Amino acid sequence: MAAPGLSESVLEAIGDTPLIEVEEGIYAKLEYLNPSGSIKARIARYIVEKAEREGLLLPGHTIVEATSGNTGNAFSMVAAIKGYRMVVLMPEGLSTERVAISRAFGAHIEHVGEFYVTEALKRARELGKKEGYFCPAQFDSEWNVEENREWLGKEILGQLEEGGVGAPDALVMGVGTGGTLIGVGQAFREKNAEAKLIAVEPEESCTLLCGESGVHKIEGISDGFVPGIYERHAERLGVDEVYAVGSEEALGAMRWLARRRGLFVGPSSGANLVAARRLKEAHPELKSIVTLFCDEGEKYISEHFPATREVEAEAR
């Protein structure tokens, strides 16, 4: 037990991230400020500790997960703190920084497939069935939904209430696993049954809208398939619309957030802002649209923040 005023580990720094009004009527939860640099720190801690309580994860075990990057970083961080071995399965062709972060936490990285996580998922399921391995199965796990409803969702509702905003009118969220849209959406609907739920995916990879997948630049969403969580819950919960956002538009919003708001975030955050603005324009009567800025820009420096004269001139 840590002494008063001290923390036992960095796990205690997860959560309680700021909620800010980034534009009139658009509120952004700054999840990129979590340790590990993304919203995924929440499910990593939640799922690992629940698996420990259920007896599914024991000392000496290995955690294995398929990821496009952020979940691998988060589970690698938690594994390092708790003394588990970690195997991160991820495709080639994604952010080199996110690979390096998992490796820095001591994880073993295995590249499976190209760009999409479908092949990595198969490998994770195979390993997860072996003795001494635990697979969190982020794309299917109800614990993912549970965490987002009971922890993140209630945290946002408390901040809105404390800030005098009241019940949220809408949630706008890119779909990676679908856990945040569904879980936080459930919490919002308990507070306001009429709250709009808007899913976001890349224009170049409209998997939810039309069943197609393509290469895009908004890493962390649209992994090449409809996640089990979204498939099970979207119709029953009543997701209102799916907005398709182009990669370049998302990247433009991402850079605008850094240069005009001091928010150094990744491309999915830009996509979420674009979609939130679009919803606000279509429904000006909505007074409180909530979105999330899910991961930090440091994970994309080599890809999207090049040190060129053109970029520097654009910023002036």
Side-chain angles (χ1 to χ4, degrees):
M1 191 75 172
L6 300 179
S7 299
E8 289 188 349
S9 79
V10 73
L11 294 180
E12 294 180 32
I14 298 172
D16 292 324
T17 56
L19 179 70
I20 68 167
E21 189 172 17
V22 68
E23 293 183 357
E24 185 177 357
I26 298 176
Y27 297 85
K29 182 72 164 156
L30 306 188
E31 285 295 287
Y32 72 97
L33 296 178
N34 280 301
S36 87
S38 84
I39 191 172
K40 298 299 187 180
R42 290 182 187 262
I43 65 164
R45 179 181 183 180
Y46 191 89
I47 289 176
V48 164
E49 293 185 347
K50 187 148 187 173
E52 289 174 331
R53 291 193 298 272
E54 298 277 334
L56 300 174
L57 186 55
L58 302 171
H61 277 190
T62 298
I63 302 170
V64 56
E65 183 62 302
T67 175
S68 60
N70 282 322
T71 303
N73 294 166
F75 275 104
S76 297
M77 179 190 75
V78 175
I81 293 164
K82 289 178 169 285
Y84 299 111
R85 292 187 293 273
M86 180 74 204
V87 176
V88 173
L89 303 168
M90 61 187 300
E92 297 275 9
L94 299 173
S95 157
T96 56
E97 286 86 355
R98 291 194 289 179
V99 176
I101 290 167
S102 288
R103 192 169 281 132
F105 284 128
H108 170 72
I109 311 296
E110 186 177 328
H111 288 290
V112 184
E114 183 73 24
F115 194 74
Y116 292 118
V117 301
T118 45
E119 291 182 46
L121 273 175
K122 293 176 186 176
R123 174 74 173 142
R125 290 189 188 112
E126 289 170 5
L127 283 175
K129 292 174 183 175
K130 293 185 176 183
E131 185 70 28
Y133 284 84
F134 171 70
C135 178
Q138 60 165 328
F139 293 93
D140 290 293
S141 175
E142 282 300 306
W143 292 354
N144 182 346
V145 178
E146 186 178 289
E147 178 277 306
N148 278 284
R149 180 181 63 247
E150 300 300 323
W151 185 5
L152 178 55
K154 289 182 177 179
E155 186 175 300
I156 295 171
L157 290 173
Q159 290 172 311
L160 290 170
E161 189 68 32
E162 189 177 346
V165 178
D169 291 324
L171 171 66
V172 175
M173 182 63 196
V175 174
T177 66
T180 302
L181 178 69
I182 299 302
V184 175
Q186 289 174 348
F188 279 20
R189 284 279 174 82
E190 288 176 10
K191 191 76 171 176
N192 174 14
E194 302 302 316
K196 289 186 177 296
L197 303 181
I198 307 298
V200 182
E201 66 178 353
E203 198 172 73
E204 302 90 342
S205 189
C206 291
T207 311
L208 304 179
L209 278 172
C210 53
E212 297 178 359
S213 59
V215 176
H216 58 88
K217 297 179 181 178
I218 312 175
E219 292 182 34
I221 65 174
S222 189
D223 285 307
F225 60 96
V226 178
I229 289 171
Y230 188 89
E231 201 166 32
R232 288 195 306 272
H233 289 282
E235 186 174 349
R236 184 170 58 211
L237 182 60
V239 172
D240 293 276
E241 289 187 76
V242 179
Y243 282 6
V245 175
S247 291
E248 294 307 321
E249 193 175 8
L251 294 176
M254 173 193 74
R255 295 188 180 105
W256 180 87
L257 283 165
R259 295 168 186 168
R260 298 291 179 259
R261 292 292 183 267
L263 302 171
F264 193 23
V265 295
S268 67
S269 302
N272 286 346
L273 178 60
V274 169
R277 286 169 169 170
R278 194 181 297 172
L279 179 63
K280 183 70 174 173
E281 184 177 356
H283 296 277
E285 74 278 7
L286 300 178
K287 303 302 181 187
S288 54
I289 297 170
V290 176
T291 191
L292 296 96
F293 293 167
C294 296
D295 69 355
E296 60 188 3
E298 286 93 334
K299 298 190 180 196
Y300 306 93
I301 288 176
S302 61
E303 287 183 298
H304 301 311
F305 295 96
T308 65
R309 291 179 181 177
E310 290 79 6
V311 170
E312 289 168 359
E314 183 185 339
R316 286 198 291 269

